Amino acid sequence: MNIALSNIAWLEPFVKVAKGENVAQNVQLITKTIGIPLVGILVFLMLWSAAANSIDTSLGKFPGPAQVLEQSKNLLAEHFAERERAEAFYQRQEERNAQRVKDDPTYVPKIRDYTGKNTYIDQIITSLVTVLSGFLLASILAIPLGIVIGLSANLHAAFNPVIQIFKPVSPLAWLPLVTMVVSALYVTDDPVVPKSFITSVVTVMLCCLWPTVINTAFGVATIPKDLVNVSQVLRLNWITHVRKIAIPASIPMVFTGLRLSLSIAWMVLIAAEMLAQNPGLGKFVWDEFQNGSSDSLGRIMVAIITIGLIGFFLDRVMLRIQRSVSWDKSATLR
Amino acid sequence: MNPLLELTQVGIEFPTPKGPFCALQNVNLKIAKGEFISLIGHSGCGKSTVLNIVAGLYQATTGGVVLEGKEVNEPGPERAVVFQNHSLLPWLTAYQNVELAVQQVFKGKKSKAEMKAWIEHNLNLVHMGHAMHNRPDEISGGMKQRVGIARALSMEPSVLLLDEPFGALDALTRAHLQDSLMEIQKDLNSTVIMITHDVDEAVLLSDRIVMMTNGPFATVGEILDIELERPRNRIQLADDPTYNKYRQQVLSFLYEKQRKVDDSMPAEKAKEPEKEQAAEKVA
């Protein structure tokens, strides 16, 4: 129990207060680490509430915290209702099939999928799958490219202009081209994944490639001269040099790049989904906007907060991975 | 007697925007097997450059280096270098750092068990057996340098190159490491070239001290044979007249014959006379 608790840093002062160790100091610590951020959030909620009340739109008042809370409850309730309906559908289908097989043993039962609408949770899952696919694809391309560029000053000089030009391009600019190319190349009668998914993934990939390439290349290019000399004295071949020296030495920079890339991927995804109509949070926002009911603005606000929380969560996960992979535990990780 | 290592008319120029900069010229040196040579000179005189040329990390513009009858063109483990800043890979333990070198040099020549024994033997040689599974950030500066020496020794180099190996250490640690180095050199009879700016270190450890003139166009100024009995003991030598005579000779070379122009003088003024002097020399 004690060990488990001490693993969670922010719980430690609470445990110490409960045990009566350094009460005054630990209470101060709690105020600092939890109290002050809490005050910040409360002030923000109050300002938001006040501002929302004074903004009138054609779809009613701008949603305040209360409406957002209500809509998030609605969205969850809708999700569970939809799940129940799906379950009921499968159950009915099973019973019907069982009955027909009983009546006529030669009958081969058909199983049909439930075709209800995507719930909010489904949209979140689709978004996560899309962003992670795009990010993974980008990383698989970007890390080796970054290493190769970082090892050779000439390659770096050759690639740098291209990278610098494509780096600031918005996903909205890529999307039409990507859509056309995917439509032209991804021709199959029985698609494993929908076209809109491919379009979103490719767009995400194109936009989040660059920070990883740039940071990996920088990390590899700035390996201390002494370590490069060691590699030369040992006559390490190219592969061993990359494996034993270049990659470990540049891991901190690679992760800086990966974290930037992931946050860009997540931002880009929402825009890509809006336009590509790939089911996901972006499409959810767009659909609600087109829907124009009195609940729409509240629901969009729920989506915005969800997007923010997931973005934050993804970054924390990357940080965890970095901590477990990097040899440099002393480096400050932010 | 055939020298193990021979530097003949070695010179090097570095390209700069203002035209080539000649750091070294006409460096001639013959080193026999088992000799301990120190290169001493003011900072910036090109002693590190000489070492880097022998290591193969720099290419000489003129002249060349011959080791055991073969010309040196590229770096290699038979000329192992111990760098000033230990340059251990920070993500590997002391053992793994030595292992990387041993695997590279003895791939296919030693079995796994033999390699393990060899790595441990070398770490024990530098008295690092107790901490061989610690990473560089977990051990002191002196210990890191010991591991660096173990890594170099594990390659069984024909000549061991030490680039100011103890320069970054405090005086007490440095004395310990010097004693260790003398002990190892006595056991292995290795050939060593060491760069230093410490006069006592040079006299205590060396068979010969090579004193370098100031750059640019630096070259070998004088060579001093140190004929002190081994094993040498720093405390006994402290008031040995021969030892002090050698010390005095090195000091006089550094501070009278090759007086470094004061760094606190404006850089331009300080450099100009030197350049003129150098130009005269060439003419």
Side-chain angles (χ1 to χ4, degrees), chain A residues 223 226-230 232-237 240 243-246 248-250 327-330, chain B residues 57 74-81 83 85 87-91 100-101 103-105 135 151 155:
Chain A
I223 298 173
D226 274 356
L227 299 189
V228 177
N229 283 344
V230 168
Q232 286 188 323
V233 168
L234 285 176
R235 288 213 187 115
L236 297 184
N237 58 32
T240 320
R243 262 185 45 231
K244 298 273 180 173
I245 298 193
S250 54
W327 47 272
D328 194 1
K329 310 282 181 204
S330 61
Chain B
L57 293 165
E74 53 168 358
E78 74 281 1
R79 281 162 284 120
V81 189
F83 298 95
N85 304 312
S87 62
L88 299 176
L89 306 181
W91 49 89
L100 181 68
Q103 280 178 346
Q104 191 63 22
V105 177
R135 289 216 312 231
R151 177 173 63 185
M155 303 178 207

Side-chain angles (χ1 to χ4, degrees), chain A residues 213-233:
Chain A
V213 175
I214 293 169
N215 282 285
T216 305
F218 181 77
V220 173
T222 52
I223 298 173
K225 186 83 177 72
D226 274 356
L227 299 189
V228 177
N229 283 344
V230 168
S231 170
Q232 286 188 323
V233 168

Side-chain angles (χ1 to χ4, degrees), chain A residues 245-271:
Chain A
I245 298 193
I247 293 180
S250 54
I251 277 223
M253 284 310 289
V254 172
F255 268 92
T256 305
L258 285 177
R259 282 171 66 197
L260 281 171
S261 279
L262 185 57
S263 64
I264 287 181
W266 185 238
M267 277 201 273
V268 161
L269 174 80
I270 304 301

Side-chain angles (χ1 to χ4, degrees), chain A residues 24 61 64-65 79 108 115 126 128 154 179 186 218 247 249 251 277 289 313:
Chain A
K61 280 206 187 309
H79 169 74
V108 181
T115 49
T126 318
L128 278 174
N154 287 337
T179 311
Y186 187 64
F218 181 77
I247 293 180
I251 277 223
Q277 292 293 296
F289 175 57
F313 167 76

